[in-house]
Amino acid sequence: MPKDPRKIIIDTDPGQDDAIAILLALASPEDIEVLGITTVAGNVPLDLTSKNARIVCELAGRPDVPVFAGCDAPLVRRLVTAEHVHGKSGLDGPDLPDPEMPLQDQHGVDFIIETLRREPAGTVTLCPLGPLTNIATAFDRAPDILERVQEIVLMGGAYFEVGNITPTAEFNIYVDPEAAEIVLKSGAKITMMPLDVTHKALVTRARNEAFRALGTPVGKAVAEMTDFFERFDREKYGSDGAPLHDPTVIAWLLAPRLFTGRFINVEVETQSKLTLGMTVADWWRVTDRAPNAMFIGDLDAERFFSILTERLARL
Ligand code: BDR
Ligand code: CA
């Protein structure tokens, strides 16, 4: 018997890799039902992430997906953005039209709370692809929703790869470490896609050409997005193409067997100036701290890209 699609809320700061994650989810309606998209300030300020999320829905031919603007700043810190990676618009690369679909009136955090209260307990998965401000705010305001969350699958953190925005911190966690701490201590079921795995999901020239060869507006836009942000990672890491961070979250929902990791304790540094936002992951299980997250370390990159390309071809 075919299973019902898994219901998710995508919480995001697009971002080219966020955009590709959204496209992957929208291309997979038999597996995933996107109940809504909530936006957060991160890669670029909130007005731009909210605009970009709608651009991506329209690119996918899905203007019916409701998009809600969430928090415009981290819980207690000033916003740090990443235009140096994603460009001024956050979605530099392709030339895409401004969205016509409206932004919803409801605040993103209220949508998260209301949806978790409305849907049967244990049936909604949260997929955060940016700083964890909206999710932490929702948990803080409405603790009753916590036990109703099916799972949180998020992109953030690093252990072996250590950091990308500072020598010791990954961007999403660094921007709002207090929010990350709330989420990691929430007791919810958590799966994390840290840099350790996303740095193995590299868009090589051949993989980029496979997107372009789809010959569709989506294929062209995705190729142009990765063309744009790979210049940054190529210069920085000398790697063979850019890491496709956020789509790993959606790929985990589609094909968890592509990934391997460990259920371990992960905590966030919120005090030190030097290591703020570091995820201290007990990969080697050298403490007696209780495990709280499935921390992914590896993936089958060939299969990941073949599933991604095959799904994008459907849009
Ligand atoms: C994360 O930060 C953002 O720049 C990307 O969209 C991804 O979510 C990678 O560190
Ligand atoms: Ca992101």
Side-chain angles (χ1 to χ4, degrees), residues 84-118:
H84 60 295
V85 184
H86 301 275
K88 208 164 178 317
S89 74
L91 209 53
D92 280 21
D95 188 14
L96 296 168
D98 281 354
E100 285 177 15
M101 63 186 276
L103 198 54
Q104 301 292 312
D105 290 335
Q106 192 178 27
H107 192 281
V109 170
D110 294 327
F111 171 73
I112 292 170
I113 294 171
E114 194 185 283
T115 306
L116 282 163
R117 283 181 178 161
R118 185 191 65 229

Side-chain angles (χ1 to χ4, degrees), residues 12-15 17-18 43 129-130 172 246:
T12 178
D13 62 338
D17 61 321
D18 301 73
N43 287 323
L129 310 177
N172 290 342
D246 295 337

Side-chain angles (χ1 to χ4, degrees), residues 282-302:
D282 191 6
W283 183 263
W284 299 112
R285 300 193 175 109
V286 291
T287 74
D288 55 9
R289 295 194 284 259
N292 57 342
M294 182 69 184
F295 197 81
I296 302 298
D298 206 353
L299 89 167
D300 180 336
E302 275 312 317

Side-chain angles (χ1 to χ4, degrees), residues 183-218:
V183 171
L184 280 168
K185 292 206 160 138
S186 67
K189 182 179 178 195
I190 296 174
T191 299
M192 288 178 81
M193 295 292 168
L195 297 179
D196 304 351
V197 63
T198 68
H199 280 180
K200 292 172 183 154
L202 297 177
V203 188
T204 59
R205 180 79 8 231
R207 290 168 181 163
N208 185 286
E209 285 315 316
F211 296 144
R212 206 181 306 276
L214 294 176
T216 59
V218 167

